[in-house]
Amino acid sequence: MLAKRTYERTHPWITFDLQTTKFLPRTWMLLGEAASKAHHIAGVPLAPQTAERFHRIFLAKGVRGTTAIEGNTLTEDQVQAQIEELTRQPNGMFLSTGPTGAGKTTTQYSVLHKLNSIERNIITIEDPIEYQLNGISQVQVNRKAGLSFANALRSFLRQDPDIIMVGEMRDLETAEISVEASLTGHLVLSTLHTNDAPSAVARMTDMGLEPYLISATVIGVLAQRLGRRNCSHCAEPYEVKQSELRRFGFEVTDPEATVTLYRGRGCEDCRFTGFRGRIGVYELMRMNAEIAELVVRRAPLADIKAAAKANGMHELREDGLLKILAGTTTPEEVMRVIFTAGF
């Protein structure tokens, strides 16, 4: 029998008790209050060799009543309107990409909440179910019972759904069934792990999908990151040379000229970190005829990215620059969340 321990974790704004096994890492879903708001709390305890660890993931329960898309800066860049236009289509595949913890699933839930109505039959397959949405049939993956993403998707197609959400596109079989669903008149939402939006095409090709199927089904790809927001109570201006912002795509007119930016000094409200809250950095690629042709021809990723930019896509670094200049965050924070080799 596995040994059990009881953990009590107290925070200035949240308290809960948790009982977990010592040796097996398990994900726990709790319901609590933080800052006078209801939250789902995903707890992931782990017992390494030296000391126990407990990682908390706070999921705003408010997604039931409002969309996360409306609560962040997507509106400032008019990306929200573009996402809503894309997902109003009756069929196709809309993907969210980024590393773990970038908010991909929250974006997908926000889209579902926006689309949710009594006239639409919406089904999801998830691992795990992170939010519970009224009016939507949500299915949890159960590998012991033989219920995988692929098996669930096959069953979904016999339920006459209008919209299907796949928690993550992990393998060729799941990708093929998702493509089949989008080709047969369903809107499919899913997530992938890629560094940027154009790379989603390469990732799906690497899985084994035929390029002509990708071009025929993918309607949009949203790459995203989450960075820390400057504390509004202690943010103060400072000057940097224009040349220091060149890596973000800033057009330097005078290398010696300066730009006024903002950073948090540190105070009790932000626990002397200079940051309070988080902000999204986004890159939306919309599929068009030119990009679709490049995908079918297996064109280099650089050509696909160039075509996407010509179609109105702002790169992650460019969106990050807008937030830096607006005083929302700092250059160092944007670099921290979007940096990749060769950036």
Side-chain angles (χ1 to χ4, degrees):
M1 182 176 180
L2 294 178
K4 293 189 176 182
R5 297 183 181 182
T6 300
Y7 292 83
E8 181 176 305
R9 179 79 182 204
T10 304
H11 198 278
W13 33 268
I14 186 165
T15 303
F16 60 87
D17 294 321
L18 175 66
Q19 188 178 61
T20 181
T21 59
K22 180 179 180 181
F23 302 108
L24 295 179
R26 304 171 70 92
T27 299
W28 297 79
M29 296 297 293
L30 308 174
L31 182 62
E33 289 192 0
S36 301
K37 294 181 181 179
H39 284 68
H40 290 291
I41 305 164
V44 188
L46 184 66
Q49 184 67 33
T50 55
E52 290 86 354
R53 293 170 55 92
F54 185 83
H55 180 64
R56 306 183 311 280
I57 306 170
F58 291 89
L59 307 169
K61 186 182 174 186
V63 73
R64 295 183 179 182
T66 182
T67 65
I69 290 177
E70 293 173 346
N72 56 35
T73 57
L74 279 171
T75 306
E76 297 174 9
D77 303 327
Q78 299 181 331
V79 179
Q80 177 183 346
Q82 296 180 42
I83 291 176
E84 291 179 359
E85 180 183 349
L86 287 172
T87 54
R88 277 197 297 266
Q89 299 185 39
N91 59 279
M93 189 181 301
F94 178 74
L95 302 172
S96 294
T97 73
T100 301
K104 302 185 298 296
T105 302
T106 300
T107 294
Q108 298 289 359
Y109 274 112
S110 301
V111 172
L112 284 182
H113 177 82
K114 199 77 174 179
L115 297 174
N116 191 13
S117 69
I118 195 170
E119 294 86 7
R120 291 191 175 102
N121 181 12
I122 304 176
I123 309 178
T124 75
I125 175 67
E126 307 169 56
D127 184 24
I129 296 174
E130 295 184 5
Y131 297 97
Q132 294 181 353
L133 298 176
N134 294 328
I136 294 178
S137 300
Q138 297 175 265
V139 179
Q140 166 80 46
V141 168
N142 187 343
R143 293 182 178 80
K144 289 185 178 180
L147 181 61
S148 63
F149 281 105
N151 292 340
L153 279 171
R154 290 193 188 92
S155 176
F156 287 179
L157 295 178
R158 294 190 289 271
Q159 301 292 323
D160 191 27
D162 298 300
I163 301 170
I164 298 173
M165 188 188 88
V166 182
E168 183 181 343
M169 201 174 295
R170 299 178 178 176
D171 52 49
L172 176 60
E173 186 178 17
T174 302
E176 287 178 335
I177 301 172
S178 298
V179 165
E180 178 185 345
S182 61
L183 285 173
T184 53
H186 307 87
L187 178 64
V188 178
L189 311 176
S190 191
T191 67
L192 279 174
H193 288 275
T194 64
N195 289 329
D196 56 22
S199 296
V201 173
R203 176 74 182 95
M204 297 174 76
T205 303
D206 290 342
M207 283 184 181
L209 284 176
E210 290 295 331
Y212 73 90
L213 292 176
I214 299 172
S215 64
T217 55
V218 174
I219 57 177
V221 182
L222 179 71
Q224 59 186 89
R225 301 288 192 277
L226 285 179
R228 295 175 295 177
R229 182 191 296 268
N230 284 337
C231 176
S232 59
H233 293 88
C234 65
E236 58 184 15
Y238 71 105
E239 301 292 323
V240 299
K241 292 183 178 180
Q242 290 185 3
S243 56
E244 294 184 24
L245 299 177
R246 185 182 283 115
R247 66 176 63 186
F248 300 101
F250 186 84
E251 295 185 6
V252 179
T253 57
D254 181 358
E256 297 302 320
T258 61
V259 180
T260 301
L261 305 180
Y262 287 82
R263 61 188 173 195
R265 181 182 63 256
C267 63
E268 291 185 358
D269 287 304
C270 62
R271 298 181 192 171
F272 301 97
T273 63
F275 298 99
R276 181 167 181 173
R278 293 197 290 179
I279 188 171
V281 182
Y282 302 95
E283 176 182 283
L284 178 63
M285 182 182 77
R286 306 180 64 176
M287 186 69 73
N288 63 4
E290 181 183 0
I291 298 174
E293 182 181 352
L294 290 172
V295 172
V296 172
R297 291 197 287 109
R298 298 178 184 267
L301 189 59
D303 293 349
I304 296 175
K305 180 177 290 188
K309 293 190 67 174
N311 192 38
M313 182 187 82
H314 291 279
E315 293 184 74
L316 286 168
R317 63 173 183 170
E318 294 171 335
D319 189 48
L321 176 63
L322 293 176
K323 293 170 172 63
I324 292 169
L325 296 177
T328 310
T329 189
T330 65
E332 294 78 15
E333 183 63 14
V334 173
M335 283 296 298
R336 184 184 70 85
V337 298
I338 73 171
F339 179 83
T340 55
F343 176 76

